[in-house]
Amino acid sequence: MAKVLLLTNSHAASADVLPALALLQHTCKVAPLEASVLIDTPVMDIVFIDARRDFPAAKSLTRLLATTGVGAPIIAITTEGGLSAFAADWGFTDVILDTAGPAEVDARIRIAVGAHAAHTQASDPTSSEIRQGDVVIDEHSYTAKIKGTALDLTFKEFELLKYLAQHPGRVFSRAQLLQEIWGYDYFGGTRTVDVHIRRLRSKLGPEFESVIGTVRNVGYRFTVQSGGKESAISELV
C-alpha cells in the first residue's frame, strides 16, 4: 500500500479527480495545487497532479517539483483531449487518464514506485552512506562526518541530520520534523526541534552550521555545501 499525495484545485474529493483511486487501498492525502503545501506534507511514495483543468498551474508545479527533487515519482492526471499538450520537459514520471480503472491506476502506482526505488538503489546498491557535499552520513554505523572528521551526535541529532540530508533543498516545518523524528506518540512541543537544531549546528561548527538552513516562519532545510560554500538549491516556498 502506497502513500499517495494528490494535488488538485478541485473542491471535491479524490473520487472526482481520479475515481478509481478511491476504490484502492492506498493512503491518499489531498492538497491544493500549490508548491507551498509540500512544506507541511509528510514524505509520500508518489505524487499525482491534477492537470485536467488548471493546465498552466499543473505544468508549472510539475516542473518545479522535478527540478527541486521532490523525492517521489510524479504522475499527471489528464483528460483524453489534454494528452497532446504534454511534453517530456515537464519532468513527470507518467501520465494517466482520469477515466482509468482501478487495475490500471494500481499498476501505474506500483510500477512508478518500484522503478523509483530501483533507480535510487542502482546509484550505489551496496553503500549505506548519504553524501551531500562535504557531509557524509553512514546509516549502518550511525556516524556522520564532515571532511573526514567525525561528529559527536546524539541519536536524535543524527536522525535529524540524516532526515534533512536525505531531502536536500526541501523545507520541513517544525511540526513535520517532530512527527518524522520523534513520532506521533511524542508529547513534547515543536520547541524540541529548535533545541536540537541549535545543538546540531553547534556541532557542525562555524564553517558548516549553515548546511541546516532556516526558512523564516516556516522551518528548516538542508543546503548542500562544498568547501564551506553554499550551493544554489531552490526552495518550495
Side-chain angles (χ1 to χ4, degrees), residues 15-214:
D16 175 67
V17 183
L18 188 62
L21 185 59
L23 303 176
L24 300 172
Q25 297 300 309
H26 302 295
T27 302
C28 184
K29 177 180 176 61
V30 182
L33 195 66
E34 301 172 358
S36 59
V37 303
L38 297 180
I39 295 171
D40 290 315
T41 301
V43 177
M44 294 291 179
D45 296 317
I46 193 162
V47 177
F48 279 93
I49 291 185
D50 182 6
R52 300 171 305 151
R53 299 186 181 92
D54 196 347
F55 200 81
K59 181 178 181 179
S60 176
L61 181 56
T62 303
R63 282 178 167 171
L64 177 61
L65 296 183
T67 56
T68 53
V70 69
I74 303 170
I75 297 182
I77 304 170
T78 187
T79 60
E80 188 169 356
L83 282 174
S84 61
F86 283 80
D89 63 355
W90 282 37
F92 55 81
T93 306
D94 199 359
V95 179
I96 192 168
L97 293 178
D98 58 351
T99 55
E104 180 181 351
V105 173
D106 188 56
R108 297 287 187 99
I109 291 174
R110 287 187 288 102
I111 292 171
V113 172
H116 179 75
H119 175 74
T120 301
Q121 184 179 20
S123 61
D124 192 348
T126 62
S127 177
S128 63
E129 293 184 344
I130 301 168
R131 292 179 176 270
Q132 299 292 357
D134 292 313
V135 180
V136 179
I137 301 167
D138 192 317
E139 297 181 89
H140 289 177
S141 64
Y142 285 91
T143 58
K145 297 179 180 180
I146 293 183
K147 287 187 173 181
T149 302
L151 300 174
D152 183 18
L153 304 179
T154 65
F155 177 74
K156 289 301 184 184
E157 290 167 353
F158 175 83
E159 288 294 309
L160 186 58
L161 178 62
K162 182 184 76 172
Y163 187 76
L164 291 171
Q166 285 175 322
H167 309 92
R170 179 170 176 180
V171 183
F172 293 95
S173 68
R174 292 167 176 80
Q176 186 175 1
L177 290 172
L178 194 68
Q179 172 186 305
E180 295 292 339
I181 307 301
W182 281 265
Y184 290 98
D185 57 348
Y186 182 75
F187 294 101
T190 54
R191 178 63 179 168
T192 299
V193 177
D194 294 328
V195 171
H196 278 75
I197 288 289
R198 186 170 65 250
R199 292 174 179 170
L200 182 56
R201 283 173 171 162
S202 176
K203 293 180 179 181
L204 289 169
E207 184 181 2
F208 289 96
E209 61 181 3
S210 60
V211 298
I212 308 298
T214 299

